[in-house]
Amino acid sequence: MDWGEEAARRLTKIAETASLPGPGVTRLPFTEEHRVAIGIITGWMEAAGLAVQMDAAGTLVGRREGPAGSKTLLIGSHQDSVPGGGAYDGIMGVALGCLALEAVKDRPLNVAVEVLAFADEEGVRFPTALMGPRVLAGTFDDGTLAMQDRDGVTLRDALAGFGGEPDALAQMKRRAEEIAGYLELHIEQGPVLEREDAALGLVTGICGIERLELRFTGSTGHAGTVPMEGRQDALVAAAGFVAEVPGMAREWDGLRATVGMLKVSPGAPNAIPDAVSLVLEVRSERDAERGAAVAEMGKRAAEIAERAGCGFEMAQTYQQPAVLCDPALSDVLARAGQGDLPTLPSGATHDASAMADLCPIAMLFVRCRDGVSHRPDEFASAADMGAAVDVLARALIAFDPA
Ligand code: GLV
Ligand code: MN
Ligand code: MN
């Protein structure tokens, strides 16, 4: 079998089941598209000889038993996409994991292996993410079950309606001593490997992320009658801050800062804005620098608000620390890659970041055309995916945690 061509065929087929409203793939957790995906991925897992079940968090798990008393090696990624996303982000890692196990179906391994298709990595439907891996690592906060999607459906109800068990999540923590590690294959989502003319790369670590809600408050009034002098326009203050974000981010080496959401109140063309809430997201491989940057950005936002005669508040809504991939587990992939894999950090986050609280992690990136991701034209070639399956299959055969 040409594993790369088979990966391309499978990924095209599953993308077609989540192509509405289009363009691109839209597969949010605990939806009809997710249910269809579960059916298709079950087929991939069964073709690899795995025993399949869905766990209480909605993660589809395919397991191959190992020698008596052996540890379990986990391989995973996510099934969900962003709205209008591509056919590779997340789901490719699940497909390639299944194909690598299919390739070694008749070979003895030193470990049990599980392929995990996590429900929600993107954090698009609910204002949280990574429930599946967090539950396994014992870091899931039950309070998040009360979070609602834009239609007012709670995460608890969405999970229960999908056949998950919200009340069982607290008991799902895996015993670290039984887990040999977690491997994730993922499309790079950036331009580095393409520039280096390399099909595959080894990930050194995953950036830390912080999200903050900034609220600028002013005073509303009639847009036609309130004179320009003395206005307290919250959007003028917020816009002044947003315009400064790129320059401020560049003060820290490699730091990325983005304002991707803005809510204007009252939100009428003929009313002066009296409140603006925005979400500032800051990413860095170095947590201390991220913290310093956030503190400085908050200080400057307060100054900008004061100059505009506005009030200002800032609150952190999310944070995850930067994590490093495990050198020994990464070396298993490096050897299987026959020693010539370039290394690179990940500026996107992954299920692996939460799995790092449970066990050693390692990640293999697959080259991405033009560096684009979270877009319908995201693409990885069959040849590159085939190379990734070969590396993972060789790593599985060689891996011995003893
Ligand atoms: C997910 O793709 C993220 O990096 O936010
Ligand atoms: Mn992803
Ligand atoms: Mn993504």
Side-chain angles (χ1 to χ4, degrees), residues 78 82 89 121-122 186 189 349 373-374:
H78 57 102
V82 294
D89 178 3
E121 187 268 353
E122 299 289 2
H186 203 284
Q189 308 183 274
T349 191
S373 182
H374 285 186

Side-chain angles (χ1 to χ4, degrees), residues 210 248 251-252 255 282 284 286-300 314:
E210 186 161 345
M248 289 191 283
E251 291 173 24
W252 286 269
L255 186 112
V282 183
S284 169
R286 293 168 293 278
D287 290 336
E289 289 182 20
R290 189 190 79 221
V294 164
E296 182 62 24
M297 288 180 188
K299 195 168 134 241
R300 296 211 211 153
M314 178 165 97

